[in-house]
Amino acid sequence: MTFRIDIVSLLPEIMTSPFSSSILKRAQKKGLVEVHMHDLRNFGEGKHKQVDDYAFGGGAGMVMLANPIFECIENLKSQRDYDAVIYTTPDGDRFNQKLANKLSLKKNIIILCGHYKGIDQRVRDALITHEISIGDYVLSGGELAATVISDALIRLVPGVLNDSASALTDSFQDDLLAPPIYTRPAELRGMKVPDVLLSGDSKKIDAWKSEQAMKNTKSRRPDLL
Ligand code: ADE
């Protein structure tokens, strides 16, 4: 089964590089994931391909027109069923690992990237199933948020990571931050790797990792406990 993400955006070129490098690239090459970009401008109105207009009732900033979005998303929906239509917006639900895990189990999803002051409310009412914010700050557009969300989902798709256990041992997967990690050399500039990691005693090592994960979480993110 292929996990499919359709991203609807006014500036798809912003996302070209992240999706054509490293893990995201490999996931697509392996056929585990399909990512399709759709330029909303192609659905713009009139000879200027207009995609935004002033807000009714006044207020600063332009609003994305509803109709080009309806046409683009309805066109996608006529080709296959979608399990989620996500809108990236700073006033959405906060994105976290739990939501990433849930969304990664879907088959086909659409991500609509917001711009300007946002989109006509009627799009949100009629088309959007999930409104997601990646944090309490305002980005210039939803493309980076869509990229972050896609990355977090794609790495969870079975087969995408070579070490299948790896995604499960990420920070947050058990509501704990990860323990410290080390690689060669065992001693560097007077700083030593903790002895237990060199002991070969897997029980002791696991106990140390759990203890350190708990310690990290308590000091940095007590809200997770
Ligand atoms: N668009 C602008 N800011 C955003 C944010 N923090 N999260 C998601 N989409 C956004």
Side-chain angles (χ1 to χ4, degrees), residues 35-46:
V35 179
H36 298 268
M37 303 286 176
H38 306 278
D39 190 341
L40 256 187
R41 184 69 62 176
N42 296 331
F43 297 85
E45 296 186 336

Side-chain angles (χ1 to χ4, degrees), residues 87-92 114-115 132-143 145-146 149:
Y87 171 52
T88 56
T89 176
D91 61 2
H115 254 273
I132 300 182
S133 162
I134 63 163
D136 289 343
Y137 40 81
V138 180
L139 301 166
S140 308
E143 284 73 17
I149 293 165

Side-chain angles (χ1 to χ4, degrees), residues 168-182 194 196-197 204-225:
L168 295 174
T169 57
D170 287 340
S171 274
F172 296 110
Q173 271 305 4
D174 47 9
D175 284 331
L176 291 177
L177 301 185
I181 51 170
Y182 300 87
V196 59
L197 294 180
K204 262 196 194 156
I205 292 173
D206 286 348
W208 181 87
K209 286 183 177 172
S210 305
E211 196 183 288
Q212 294 292 318
M214 184 57 78
K215 197 173 134 198
N216 269 352
T217 311
K218 263 189 188 152
S219 68
R220 295 180 201 179
R221 292 295 305 276
D223 58 296
L224 293 175
L225 296 172

